[in-house]
Amino acid sequence: MALTREIPDAIAPILSDAREAVDPERATTAVFYSITNCQRGLAGVTFGHFLIKQVVEEVRREWPRISTFVTLSPAPNFAEWLKRERANEASLAIDADDREALAALDRANWWLDGQLVELIGEPIMRAAAWYYVRARNRRGLPIDAVARFHLGNGARLQRLNWIADTSERALEQSYGLMVNYLYDLDYIEENHEAYAQQHAIVASTGVTRLVRSPAREVVPVSG
């Protein structure tokens, strides 16, 4: 967990040895960037729900000024999904113009070219929004495993961050995409029930407005 003064949009500033030290008494945001259900005996248990909620409550008691609790999470299957959509002429997630722009992702070291990054930016963010709010598996659940974990534990899909992780592994798995999930104690139970009973995805308007045709099962919220 990191304590910051704003919601982060990239992992490097958090992990950097040269990062700015933040006085916990002045921090307003707690960022969970490494959550691991590492024990086999916990498989299938709603581990995250109880752990995250407990951590949030303890942090609030220790540092009352902290009012925002978010994650900075990876998107390990996004690149694989997007490659399939780019190869699918009948894709609903991207159109011909998007497909043409996204071809730049096949170029070597594309993330180092500012012009390419600008060219790809809008279509890849629209595709990412579709991936998170529309793409479903055979059980009707979000296709992204990390999303299933956090949404099932009562989080809100708050923000998509592109070029947030430029490590070799992240570029291969997600083209550098990372996600902020917001944990609001006042709505954790409500969000959990909406997801568990209706498979509804609670998402900010900042995410839902990127989707061309928002689905009925998406619950947009302001912010």
Side-chain angles (χ1 to χ4, degrees):
M1 185 181 73
L3 301 182
T4 66
R5 286 194 285 268
E6 58 187 12
I7 297 176
D9 59 6
I11 192 66
I14 290 178
L15 301 180
S16 173
D17 291 336
R19 64 186 178 276
E20 177 188 0
V22 176
D23 183 345
E25 298 301 327
R26 299 183 60 195
T28 60
T29 302
V31 185
F32 307 115
Y33 62 91
S34 180
I35 301 174
T36 304
N37 187 349
C38 58
Q39 302 298 324
R40 292 186 179 183
L42 294 173
V45 179
T46 53
F47 171 77
H49 177 60
F50 299 110
L51 175 64
I52 294 172
K53 187 174 181 180
Q54 178 181 343
V55 171
V56 168
E57 291 173 340
E58 290 182 1
V59 171
R60 289 183 70 177
R61 282 196 296 269
E62 187 167 355
W63 296 298
R65 285 178 56 88
I66 295 179
S67 58
T68 302
F69 300 86
V70 298
T71 75
L72 186 60
S73 300
N77 304 118
F78 174 65
E80 180 183 0
W81 172 85
L82 185 57
K83 288 175 183 177
R84 292 198 302 269
E85 293 301 315
R86 289 173 55 200
N88 178 12
E89 295 290 338
S91 172
L92 298 176
I94 61 174
D95 59 22
D97 290 338
D98 289 342
R99 185 174 290 105
E100 181 179 355
L102 292 171
L105 292 169
D106 298 328
R107 301 186 188 182
N109 299 324
W110 57 265
W111 63 94
L112 300 176
D113 187 323
Q115 291 185 333
L116 286 184
V117 169
E118 184 176 358
L119 173 68
I120 300 168
E122 288 190 17
I124 203 169
M125 288 295 283
R126 287 195 298 268
W130 182 285
Y131 172 76
Y132 278 101
V133 304
R134 298 295 298 272
R136 302 297 177 110
N137 62 21
R138 294 180 180 178
R139 297 174 57 197
L141 299 173
I143 197 170
D144 187 83
V146 178
R148 292 196 299 270
F149 175 84
H150 288 295
L151 296 171
N153 287 312
R156 175 204 302 179
L157 179 60
Q158 182 69 9
R159 190 173 69 187
L160 308 177
N161 306 296
W162 188 45
I163 311 295
D165 185 350
T166 55
S167 65
E168 182 178 354
R169 182 179 181 183
L171 289 168
E172 179 181 346
Q173 293 184 339
S174 67
Y175 299 121
L177 183 73
M178 297 192 79
V179 183
N180 297 126
Y181 295 94
L182 177 71
Y183 280 89
D184 186 334
L185 279 179
D186 292 335
Y187 293 97
I188 284 178
E189 295 294 337
E190 181 180 325
N191 294 347
H192 168 74
E193 289 302 318
Y195 178 83
Q197 296 181 12
Q198 306 168 28
H199 297 170
I201 297 172
V202 181
S204 70
T205 55
V207 174
T208 59
R209 69 187 178 193
L210 290 170
V211 184
R212 297 180 189 278
S213 301
R216 288 181 299 172
E217 66 270 18
V218 177
V219 183
V221 293
S222 60

